[in-house]
């Protein structure tokens, strides 16, 4: 919810003792917003006397629209709140071309977008937060873990074979 997001912004700003950029879709940006986009925020951060690291907050519902801005921002640390929302392990579609060769395409879903950001070369650390239990499905646990530590548990099927006896 919007109220919770603004609470996050206020509390984070108090902890880091500096400004926080709240990414919003263009349709929700207002003239009174301090910064119009991530680039403006980063420029102001470089020019300012802030000793804190630049901090950007994006709601999961907006992450697909923010992906290009976030990749340009090149975050070093990502904290995934509500990581249980990223439990879709299906991030790729499989098809075959005319000659029968496999063709893979990335799906356009929240989990696939989060994967793009998580695998960004600048990311050094990630934290997954949730107060909601991940459903009793191995694929959900693997999907959330793969966002926090990309490739750390291997591919999904290797993980399923190793930990659940799948075959």
């Amino acid at each position: 919810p919007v109220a919770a997001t603004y609470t996050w912004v206020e509390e984070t700003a108090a902890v880091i003792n500096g400004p926080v950029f709240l990414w919003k879709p263009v349709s929700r940006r207002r003239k009174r917003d301090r910064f119009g986009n991530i680039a403006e925020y980063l420029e102001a951060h470089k020019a300012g006397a802030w000793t804190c690291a630049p901090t950007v907050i994006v709601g999961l519902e907006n992450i697909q629209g923010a992906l290009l801005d976030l990749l340009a921002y090149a975050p070093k640390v990502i904290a995934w709140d509500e990581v249980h929302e990223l439990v879709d392990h299906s991030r790729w579609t499989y098809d075959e071309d005319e000659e029968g060769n496999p063709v893979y395409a990335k799906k356009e879903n929240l989990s696939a977008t989060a994967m793009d950001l998580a695998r960004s070369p600048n990311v050094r650390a990630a934290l997954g937060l949730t107060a909601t239990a991940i459903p009793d499905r191995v694929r959900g646990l693997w999907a959330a873990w793969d966002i926090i530590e990309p490739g750390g548990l291997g591919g999904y099927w290797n993980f399923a074979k190793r930990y659940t006896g799948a075959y």
Side-chain angles (χ1 to χ4, degrees):
V2 174
T5 302
Y6 284 104
T7 301
W8 267 91
V9 170
E10 291 169 4
E11 290 179 3
T12 304
V15 168
I16 67 168
N17 196 24
V20 174
F21 179 76
L22 174 61
W23 190 94
K24 299 178 191 174
V26 174
S27 63
R28 288 193 42 225
R29 293 182 188 158
R30 304 290 180 253
K31 288 182 182 180
R32 67 179 182 269
D33 288 344
R34 188 167 178 186
F35 308 105
N37 58 43
I38 291 176
E40 286 179 19
Y41 169 73
L42 293 176
E43 285 302 315
H45 197 278
K46 286 179 190 174
W50 306 319
T51 57
C52 62
T55 304
V56 176
I57 295 177
V58 181
L60 281 179
E61 70 277 4
N62 294 319
I63 200 163
Q64 287 175 299
L67 181 63
L68 294 178
D69 284 347
L70 291 169
L71 290 173
Y73 165 56
K76 292 179 179 59
V77 177
I78 299 175
W80 299 102
D81 190 25
E82 306 295 347
V83 74
H84 64 274
E85 297 287 339
L86 302 174
V87 297
D88 185 354
H89 78 288
S90 177
R91 300 178 186 147
W92 300 91
T93 59
Y94 170 82
D95 203 357
E96 294 181 357
D97 63 14
E98 298 82 25
E99 298 157 5
N101 299 315
V103 177
Y104 294 93
K106 187 174 72 78
K107 287 186 173 182
E108 296 298 323
N109 63 27
L110 185 61
S111 190
T113 303
M115 177 190 67
D116 287 344
L117 185 57
R119 293 175 187 248
S120 170
N122 292 318
V123 174
R124 299 286 181 253
L127 179 65
L129 308 169
T130 186
T132 304
I134 294 177
D136 190 21
R137 293 189 179 94
V138 173
R139 65 180 174 258
L141 178 61
W142 175 87
W145 194 274
D146 194 53
I147 294 295
I148 298 165
E149 186 181 350
L153 295 175
Y156 171 69
W157 284 112
N158 290 335
F159 170 80
K161 287 177 196 174
R162 181 174 180 182
Y163 293 103
T164 68
Y167 53 92

